[in-house]
Structure formats: structure tokens, C-alpha cells
Amino acid sequence: MRRVRKAVLPVAGLGTRFLPATKAMPKEMLTVVDRPVIQHAVQEALDSGIEQLIFVTGRGKTAIEDHFDHAFELESTLQSRGKLDALQTVEATNFPPGTIAYVRQQEPLGLGHAVWCARHVIGDEPFAVMLPDDVILGGPPCLSQLLDVYKGLDQSDGASANLIGVEAIELALSRKFGVLDVGQWDSEQRSFSAKGIVEKPEPEDAPSNMAVFGRYILDPSVLTYLDRQERGAGDEIQLTDAIDASIKHGVPTYGRLCEGRRFDCGSKQGFVLANVAYALQDSEISGRLKPAIRALLDDD
Ligand code: G1P
């Protein structure tokens, strides 16, 4: 398999579920404890060996670009005041020039459209897609788990494949996810082959309970199906439909159950839970937080 160097992070969504918090601030900049949601995915990508991040962005998202840039005044103030720990924390969000590329999605036409907007930067090589709403706590970086399995797939020249992070869901929730039509199970790799994939099916139509969450490694041929700009579920251009087309055209596709707990930071409940879970792992605050949370629950 060819090396996966690039990750596409769609960040153009309006974040309407978090209004009014997201009126003047991108939802990706809401914080899970002390860092914005987007930084969790970026760190996961870099820890997994990704070299270039492609943000598919939109109007009102410049705070994301500023976050991953030098903050000259802040840095020099911290330096002159000797606040070196804080300086280090800030400097960790600066990357070498060219590490992040920004592409605009001018219209909100769906996840498939967002990925398609990045096609010229992706080029003709396998790439990752990371949906930053999904924050994963515990285990090795989630994307690196997928990349390890991906490296073990067919090594012959030019071989192509798609590999998708999945989790088992209650069938009643199938309307919120892409769902895989599951083939053969490989218990050693915690993965299975996919015979198809369908976006947001009704529970009675769901081909399995294996749902796509926000981590994918895709063969670039998927972009040719996105070129068709066909609308699917919700009248949007769906990445799921392009992956399904690539499966039907013979690209081997697999789902993998990953270690770690996923939090959907695109929902209020998931976002609050992610904050609690991360805070409980933070040695600086967890000691006093635990009894305080217990007391809150007891009062409830
Ligand atoms: C998107 C994908 C869906 C996937 C989900 C995971 O849907 O289209 O296939 O299961 O992310 O979070 P969205 O949540 O953007 O509607």
C-alpha cells in the first residue's frame, strides 16, 4: 500500500446545534478542557505520522487559521515574562510552513462535496479523512490504528483499498450514521470486509449495526465518484455514496473497530461528556473534580 501522508479535515459546518455559542466562533474552536475540539484531531493526525493537513473551511472560520499560526505578541509577552511553560503550550500549535493547507467549500453541499473541494490538494494518492467532531479518548491514536491495519493490506504494486473506522451502534440510531454491509470478519485485525455502505438508513433497512464514525483512509479513485456530484441522503453529496460506488467497482473496502472511546462533540451531550472524560484524566484538576462531580450527582 502507498503511504498515507495527507488528511482532509472538513471544518466548514455551521454548528447550528451550539448556537448562540457558535454565532461568532467556529464550533471547532469550542474547547474540550483546555484545547479546541479541532486540536484533538490535529494532534491525532500528527501522532499518526500524517504530514499534511487539508482543512476544508468556509466563511467565519478564520479563528481556526489563527489558532494554528504564530501569535507574535502573545509569544513575545510570555517570553519576556518568563512564562516558559505557557510559551511551550502555545508554540506546540505552530507547525512548519505548509503543514496545513486551507481550501474553501463555498456552499454547504455535504461531506462528499467538502472532500471533493480538496481534490487538487489530495492529488493521486491515498488519503485520510478525519471528522473533527469525533474526539477519541484512550488507546493508541485512532488514525494510527487504522494506518497499522492499512499497511498490512495487499502489498502488490498499485493495490488500492478503503479502510473505515466503525463502531457497533444500537440499530435505532442508524439514521445518524453511514452503515456498512458487513462481509467476512477478521478477529485478529478487529476488521471485516464491506460489501456496501449506506448513508443514514432507517433501522429496518440498515444492513448491519456497524456504523461509520469520523475516520477514513480512502483510495483516491473515490474522488472520481464525487466528480459526479450526485445528491444522496438529505439531498447532500455524500461521501458514503462515493465509497459505495468504489466498492461496487471492485475497490476492496474494510471496516475496523478501533480501541478508545468516541465522543460526538457535534452534539451537546457528547461534547459535555468529552469534557468530563478528559477532565477526569487531567492530573491537575481530576483530584478535586471527582468528589465535586459525585456531590453534584448525589444532589440530583
Ligand atoms: C457523517 C457521515 C456519516 C458518518 C458520520 C459520523 O454524517 O456522513 O456516514 O456515520 O458523519 O459522525 P454527519 O454526522 O455529518 O451527518
Side-chain angles (χ1 to χ4, degrees), residues 183-203:
Q184 207 179 339
W185 168 248
D186 175 342
S187 55
E188 202 181 313
Q189 298 288 9
R190 292 165 60 83
S191 67
F192 47 77
S193 57
K195 295 186 280 184
I197 175 171
V198 43
E199 182 69 9
K200 301 192 171 75
E202 293 297 319

Side-chain angles (χ1 to χ4, degrees), residues 32-81:
V32 175
V33 185
D34 57 2
R35 65 206 59 200
V37 168
I38 184 72
Q39 198 174 325
H40 290 270
V42 166
Q43 200 56 51
E44 181 190 325
L46 298 174
D47 289 347
S48 303
I50 293 293
E51 293 166 17
Q52 188 178 30
L53 302 156
I54 307 164
F55 283 15
V56 183
T57 174
R59 285 179 68 81
K61 300 281 182 168
T62 46
I64 299 176
E65 297 185 34
D66 290 341
H67 182 73
F68 294 109
D69 196 1
H70 285 284
F72 177 75
E73 285 175 5
L74 176 63
E75 287 168 33
S76 59
T77 305
L78 292 173
Q79 180 84 55
S80 65
R81 293 187 184 169

Side-chain angles (χ1 to χ4, degrees), residues 17 111-112 131 133-134 175-179 197-200 211-216 236 238-240 262 264:
R17 277 188 261 179
L111 176 59
L131 308 186
D133 278 353
D134 285 317
R175 286 185 206 93
K176 293 173 68 174
F177 295 97
V179 179
I197 175 171
V198 43
E199 182 69 9
K200 301 192 171 75
V212 176
F213 68 90
R215 301 291 182 272
Y216 311 71
E236 293 188 342
Q238 296 289 355
L239 182 59
T240 297
R262 181 186 78 96
D264 174 12

Side-chain angles (χ1 to χ4, degrees), residues 15 26 28 51 55 57 62 69 72 98 104 124 154 182 210 257:
E28 296 78 10
E51 293 166 17
F55 283 15
T57 174
T62 46
D69 196 1
F72 177 75
R104 280 240 179 176
D124 186 27
D154 186 358
V182 170
M210 288 297 166
L257 288 161

Side-chain angles (χ1 to χ4, degrees), residues 219-275:
D219 184 71
S221 62
V222 79
L223 298 169
T224 59
Y225 305 109
L226 290 173
D227 278 338
R228 297 175 183 167
Q229 305 275 297
E230 280 166 7
R231 307 283 183 124
D235 200 32
E236 293 188 342
I237 298 168
Q238 296 289 355
L239 182 59
T240 297
D241 294 343
I243 297 171
D244 189 59
S246 88
I247 296 172
K248 303 284 155 32
H249 284 84
V251 177
T253 298
Y254 306 90
R256 183 180 195 265
L257 288 161
C258 292
E259 282 173 56
R261 182 178 291 176
R262 181 186 78 96
F263 297 95
D264 174 12
C265 289
S267 77
K268 284 184 196 169
Q269 186 192 321
F271 174 73
V272 171
L273 258 179
N275 266 287

